[in-house]
Amino acid sequence: MANEQHTRSASVRPRAEHDRSAPHGDPRDVLARLTRGTDRAGRVTHTEHLPPRNGRHAHWPDRIRPEVIEAVRRTGIEHPWEHQARAAAHALDGDSVIIATGTASGKSLSYLVPVLSTLLDGSEAPNGRGATALYLAPTKALAADQRRAVAGLAAPLGTAVRPAVFDGDTPVEEREWVRLYANYVLTNPDMLHRSLLPGHARWSSFLRALRYVVIDECHTYRGVFGSHVAQVLRRLRRVCARYGAEPVFLLASATAAAPGEGAARLTGIRPVEITEDTSPRGETVFALWEPPLTEYEGERGAPVRRTATAEAAELLTDLALDGVRTVAFVRSRRGAELISLIAQDRLAGIPAPRIPGAHPDTAPHPGPPPAPDPWAAHETDVIPPTGAAPDAGEEPSAVAGPGPGVAPGTVTGPGTGVRPDAGAEPGKGVRPDAGVEPDTGVEPGKGVGPDPGVPADTGVLTDIGVTTNIGVTTNIGVMTDTHVGSGSHAEPGTGVGSEGAPPTGATGSDLAGRGAPEGAVPGAGRRGGLSSRIAAYRGGYLPEERRALERALHSGELLGLAATNALELGIDISGLDAVLITGYPGTRASLWQQAGRAGRAGQGALVVLIARDEPLDTYLVHHPESIFATPVESTVLDPHNPYVLAPHLCAAAAEIPLTEADFDLFGPETGSLLRKLEERKLLRRRSTGWHWTRKERAADLTDIRGSGGRPVQVVEADTGRLLGTVDAAAAHTTVHEGAVHLHQGRTYVVRQLDLEDSAALVEEASPPWTTMARDTTSLAVLDTEAEVAWGQARLCFGSVEVTNQVVSYLRRRLITGEVLGESKLDLPPRTLRTRAVWWTVTEDQLDAARITPEILAGSLHAAEHASIGILPLFATCDRWDIGGVSIALHPDTLLPTVFVYDGQPGGAGFAERAFHTARAWLTATRDAIAACECEAGCPSCIQSPKCGNANDPLHKRGAVRLLTELLRSAE
């Protein structure tokens, strides 16, 4: 096999449709222009040059149908890359395979070619459907994008391949056709869980012929969400076996550590690993960027850096002026809106080129911005609640219908589900954008929603693990670090709440008459000039709006886009020249996924990681080896978590009665959990096995995305217009009475939050303040599962119960962050049973560290904040996935104690990972605090964006001495 640089990438689509009239420019030159001037040059802390890579090609296996090879050739691909051919050969041999190669390496074609060849064979069966395939994507947008790709590739094959999307956007009248005639069904795990598996008898002809299950972007299935999906896949294997099918699993993943092990935990089957990327790649210039300090002071007089949001908006503006096609990834929906609005404002007076993609050389430079940049000055914190990751958002479902009192047809625009925060940095005031979309397509009223008569409390207690949608809150909400008692502080975790990638399905002319005018780009600047080629992309938009944005970016009509991580996944947006990453996305896997969105067509690419003002980002931009010399993380998930397993055992029993033969499939906890489910009269044992005994649907016992219940609909009180939805777990902190809410550049104030009807009524207003919820948190140790002696100190891991209640909110002046007042709230408490890691110290150790009673609470509190901020470097999590509590005398340990816990029921594996890497984790925490140049603590070291008691008390030097003594004892 020869080594050569190909002129075409072996992916699914040709690139000819993209306009290429704009000169891309060498990425080194683009970076040089961005850093022109002494004030800009000093912001780059490190530049990494990733050299171009030649590709190695091969030949498709002989068993691939020639018609399929010819269809691939019509896209301009003569030969596959070597890793594509290897994956196809294993798939045809009946081996499950995971392809873990870089972005734009042609993973889709790796599995599509053997799948299409097999479907073509099956079309020759008497019923025309002798073979079927199921495609699972974490987002509806990705499934819709793949359907378009498959339809285009398989067009020369006629009707032999019939791809169809089956999700919450699929009209009821089309679902029957999909079930009876489609042989390549594209869906998501939620529809599999709630619709296809419970109705498996109606899908019997499809399941009987099922040959392949494709799991795309499988690295997004991590934490509790990934654990749920793992059990859904075990249920799928069990149902398929009932019909005599044993499908081959084909998994595609971003580069990951030990991908085979992660895939085995996900599917229960050990696959063949394909990890060597043999595709070509252009040069990538990767810059680490730290915004400068401002003259403003934050909480406790701490120095404040210019926000990453303001930096990203400025760089996006400059890149647009230079004709560089760019996506700016941002952690929050609000941040995406702000970046696009700032860039549009600065570009409004610049004439746009007549031809999309043309370099605006003749356009005058705008010079100074038309108005002072308020976002550059100060960020006030709002309190989000948590992906998993894969746009951790406020919108967990695809319910697009109006809420209480809303007339049909009044849905006119997206909602953000978050409060404005005067330029607050992404990730500090909304649920994190971690990559898994919560609006997955399960749309009540279309055959897959819960029965109206299902009682809220099914009788399943938390001690067996069933906690979602049965009367027990699954998220405590990311609140603030609030005073719990004397010397006690808490920083809640938030669980999985990733922003949804767009619900999609229709394309092209389907938009006509559905709220988006044909050809319009939603959210693009309306003041003319280059502003019309800048837009935002996030969860909360209507399906047709997000489809239009995807087409505009793909075609080159858009020059710049501010997007949440909904675009991190494999949606085809090839042809980008630059990527701005506004804040570390939580994992190295996500970082490289976002970086890989540029240069996909083979050209050079510029990537800029802009640090937020918090410990982990600051640490990374000054320790580039943590990014460039460290492998990506392993996928963390625990399918045997009893909080996850119990509801799936109920669902499996409702599908087919459970027997002892199923114990190996579902895991070692199955037998004991079945006995508990019997005791609760959820299952009944008969001679044929364990049976589901309730009238309601067993699949409704759990929400696999952990959204914690029905989404709260945000409704404009005076008009009844639906603005959007907010995750139930986020409602207490984001749409409480009096909260400020941002929607498409307009500001609203919440008039009323009705938790019973899941609705928040808002009215348009422009108050000169932003709001931040405050809460109280207490933690009780339920069980200590592991304990390690560090001298006199103790490092422990076990089960805890966290009780959290939002009690008030602060009004803070825009720009300065000055507290204007506090208003009480009367909201119910939330309880979370989860896993935690904690450490204790003794009086002697405190004396050795010179920690007096006066600074003890502040020292513990500062160490807690910093350790939460650094943990994502050691576990596949985001700081919003975890919470913490510090207390000078905990009633269960009777010692000064710091807890860090998972923000998901039953745990997500993050605290356990922290326990096993505690020495390295806490060493990095101490080093990060000690290395910060501030005097008494700042957002770059010990201040937390989640702290609800104004980051008080904190003692920086005490935290360093305390951690030093703790680690000395561990030696």
Side-chain angles (χ1 to χ4, degrees), residues 307-310 312-314 316-317 328 330 332-346 373-376 378-380 382 416 418-427 430 534-538 541 562-563 582 742-747 814:
T307 71
T309 304
E314 185 174 280
L316 181 63
T317 301
V330 59
S332 70
R333 298 175 178 183
R334 179 195 54 210
E337 293 275 7
L338 288 175
I339 289 174
S340 66
L341 286 173
I342 295 170
Q344 288 170 6
D345 183 65
R346 295 181 173 186
D373 181 6
W375 321 112
H378 182 77
E379 297 181 285
T380 51
V382 285
T416 64
V418 292
R419 308 188 290 278
D421 205 10
E425 180 172 337
V430 293
I534 306 293
Y537 183 102
R538 59 167 179 79
Y541 285 173
T582 313
L742 181 67
H743 168 69
Q744 286 194 327
R746 294 184 177 182
T747 305
L814 293 171

Side-chain angles (χ1 to χ4, degrees), residues 443-735:
E443 187 168 353
K446 290 195 176 183
V448 295
D451 292 340
V454 178
D457 185 1
T458 66
V460 183
L461 299 183
T462 57
D463 60 357
I464 62 170
V466 185
T467 57
T468 322
N469 293 337
I470 54 174
V472 181
T473 302
T474 60
N475 269 330
I476 63 168
V478 179
M479 316 293 174
T480 53
D481 192 13
T482 315
H483 208 279
V484 179
S486 178
S488 167
H489 298 276
E491 181 169 351
T494 58
V496 174
S498 40
E499 151 132 59
T504 60
T507 58
S509 60
D510 293 341
L511 296 180
R514 295 183 58 188
E518 194 74 37
V521 179
R526 303 303 183 206
R527 287 174 291 172
L530 270 178
S531 73
S532 63
R533 298 187 61 192
I534 306 293
Y537 183 102
R538 59 167 179 79
Y541 285 173
L542 300 179
E544 56 268 26
E545 293 174 317
R546 289 197 274 192
R547 284 194 293 269
L549 284 167
E550 292 160 20
R551 288 198 308 275
L553 185 62
H554 182 72
S555 67
E557 183 180 354
L558 281 177
L559 193 56
L561 190 70
T564 58
N565 67 344
L567 281 181
E568 178 183 313
L569 303 180
I571 301 169
D572 180 41
I573 52 173
S574 57
L576 294 178
D577 307 311
V579 166
L580 305 176
I581 303 175
T582 313
Y584 182 64
T587 66
R588 283 180 289 270
S590 291
L591 178 74
W592 289 111
Q593 276 290 101
Q594 293 182 4
R597 305 306 278 163
R600 290 170 64 89
Q603 76 272 23
L606 172 66
V607 180
V608 181
L609 171 62
I610 306 168
R612 292 167 300 170
D613 198 7
E614 63 174 58
L616 182 55
D617 285 40
T618 302
Y619 181 88
L620 289 173
V621 295
H622 291 285
H623 294 80
E625 70 279 0
S626 297
I627 295 175
F628 303 109
T630 305
V632 295
E633 307 87 350
S634 299
T635 303
V636 177
L637 60 97
D638 179 14
H640 308 310
N641 179 342
Y643 286 77
V644 170
L645 178 56
H648 288 285
L649 291 176
C650 293
E655 291 153 8
I656 305 168
L658 287 164
T659 68
E660 292 185 1
D662 296 314
F663 285 15
D664 289 341
L665 177 65
F666 288 105
E669 301 293 329
T670 303
S672 61
L673 282 176
L674 286 175
R675 288 190 291 273
K676 291 183 179 181
L677 292 168
E678 280 188 82
E679 293 171 5
R680 297 298 171 187
K681 302 188 184 305
L682 290 167
L683 296 181
R684 179 176 300 169
R685 188 172 186 178
R686 297 174 180 162
S687 59
T688 54
W690 285 267
H691 295 251
W692 172 248
T693 62
R694 301 273 183 133
K695 292 182 180 179
E696 56 265 28
R697 288 161 41 96
D700 294 334
L701 285 179
T702 188
D703 174 356
I704 67 174
R705 304 222 180 222
S707 58
R710 291 171 57 194
V712 173
Q713 295 181 313
V714 182
V715 179
E716 192 171 30
D718 295 336
T719 65
R721 183 169 65 107
L722 177 67
L723 300 182
T725 57
V726 176
D727 186 3
H732 287 211
T733 55
T734 58
V735 287

Side-chain angles (χ1 to χ4, degrees), residues 27-28 30-49 285-293 305 311 315 580 606-611 617-618 620-624 628:
R28 297 171 186 250
V30 174
L31 180 60
R33 289 194 293 272
L34 286 180
T35 55
R36 194 172 294 150
T38 55
D39 60 326
R40 282 278 189 89
R43 302 180 195 183
V44 176
T45 62
H46 177 81
T47 303
E48 191 82 8
H49 295 273
V285 175
F286 202 130
L288 304 183
W289 188 288
E290 185 175 43
L293 290 170
R305 291 192 180 275
E311 290 285 280
L315 293 179
L580 305 176
L606 172 66
V607 180
V608 181
L609 171 62
I610 306 168
D617 285 40
T618 302
L620 289 173
V621 295
H622 291 285
H623 294 80
F628 303 109

